[in-house]
Amino acid sequence: MTISLAQLVRRGRLYWSSAAGRAHWQAERACIGPVCERLFGAHGLHLGMAPPLTDMCPIRHTLTWSPTQELAESKACLVCDPIRLPLPDDSLSLVVLHHMLEVAPEPHRLLQEATRVMADNGRLIIFGWFPLGLEGMHRIWPRSRTGMPRCGRWRTPGRLNDWLAFVDFEIERVDYCGFRLPGRPPGNAKLESFGRRYNLPLSDAYMIRARPKTQQAQIIKPRLATPAMGRPLLGNSPRVTTEQEHKQVSEVD
């Protein structure tokens, strides 16, 4: 598995360094930017084959990932199998899965591992290729699925919503990015701005923002109502007088 992952990362880095890959990367960075600017925490993780997208994020320490020491590009890099992260539970404020679920050998276990290390107040960001976009239409012919980025299994956000529900996560929002005209390369700034403004499901890629379902749980504390005139403070039942109080009243009379 380590050898196949290393080959996959090399092929992926070649694509993301190409003109089309850089154009898609810029579109995805613009999509995640407003989300990252509102996130805070101590640690984050970027799992993918492209350069990290979260350099503008206030999170202080962001880790990257590599399957081998040879392919590690920085000191802050986890060299491991992505389904066995050497991190404790609930330790990260942000995890980015950048086009990994399409090509990972065990995508379900990868998603489970990403959610395991996520803190209760953290965010999970998933980038995926949209099978109903222009790039996805080219995958109708099986021969076109051999190279990057068309290889692997592409899934819709609805399908990943079912996967996230299995690990007690839910989708906050789905954003589409990477818009282009038929027969044209990505990178049209006006078309990208128009597509993102109306969030049209006609793009090459999408971004899922997900969170743990436990974030919805709220503790509702009971509140005491203001008592009406002549009514008791804690309820409508009449006040019960004791025998001693009856005796005091008789002595006064």
Side-chain angles (χ1 to χ4, degrees):
M1 181 179 293
T2 303
I3 296 175
S4 62
L5 283 175
Q7 294 173 348
L8 183 65
V9 169
R10 290 190 182 96
R11 292 170 60 188
R13 289 181 180 178
L14 285 176
Y15 168 74
W16 290 108
S17 63
S18 66
R22 289 195 302 270
H24 276 130
W25 187 87
Q26 290 288 349
E28 293 172 351
R29 186 177 183 275
C31 191
I32 197 177
V35 178
C36 282
E37 291 174 355
R38 298 191 295 267
L39 296 179
F40 296 91
H43 305 287
L45 173 64
H46 179 96
L47 278 168
M49 297 166 281
L53 296 162
T54 57
D55 54 331
M56 79 296 287
C57 188
I59 292 178
R60 298 187 296 271
H61 183 223
T62 300
L63 299 166
T64 57
W65 165 80
S66 173
T68 64
Q69 188 67 42
E70 178 188 1
L71 294 173
E73 295 182 328
S74 67
K75 294 182 179 179
C77 183
L78 294 178
V79 180
C80 62
D81 190 333
I83 63 174
R84 296 180 180 88
L85 298 174
L87 297 171
D89 297 351
D90 308 326
S91 58
L92 301 180
S93 301
L94 173 66
V95 175
V96 179
L97 291 178
H98 187 256
H99 297 287
M100 286 291 291
L101 295 180
E102 293 95 337
V103 295
E106 298 178 84
H108 286 91
R109 293 187 62 184
L110 174 60
L111 183 62
Q112 290 176 357
E113 188 69 355
T115 56
R116 177 188 68 81
V117 299
M118 174 72 62
D120 289 339
N121 61 345
R123 288 296 184 276
L124 173 66
I125 304 293
I126 300 174
F127 281 96
W129 298 111
F130 190 42
L132 304 181
L134 289 178
E135 193 68 35
M137 297 302 178
H138 293 289
R139 301 178 73 251
I140 297 176
W141 294 275
R143 292 182 181 180
S144 65
R145 303 179 187 178
T146 56
M148 296 288 290
R150 299 175 185 172
C151 61
R153 297 188 63 181
W154 293 15
R155 301 171 181 90
T156 63
R159 181 58 174 165
L160 292 183
N161 185 42
D162 297 335
W163 289 23
L164 289 166
F166 182 77
V167 291
D168 292 329
F169 269 61
E170 63 180 355
I171 292 179
E172 281 187 301
R173 180 178 170 87
V174 179
D175 290 290
Y176 296 91
C177 55
F179 296 90
R180 61 189 178 93
L181 295 173
R184 299 292 183 87
N188 188 320
K190 292 183 179 180
L191 185 61
E192 187 71 24
S193 178
F194 178 83
R196 287 191 54 208
R197 179 185 303 173
Y198 298 100
N199 204 23
L200 300 174
L202 301 171
S203 62
D204 286 342
Y206 58 82
M207 181 187 76
I208 292 176
R209 181 174 42 179
R211 65 181 180 183
K213 289 184 178 180
T214 54
Q215 290 185 14
Q216 280 193 336
Q218 297 181 356
I219 300 176
I220 302 176
K221 297 182 179 180
R223 304 176 64 180
L224 297 178
T226 303
M229 185 64 68
R231 293 184 179 180
L233 180 62
L234 297 179
N236 296 325
S237 59
R239 184 172 180 268
V240 179
T241 57
T242 63
E243 183 180 353
Q244 183 178 1
E245 289 175 337
H246 277 297
K247 184 178 181 181
Q248 292 177 353
V249 171
S250 301
E251 292 175 357
V252 172
D253 293 339

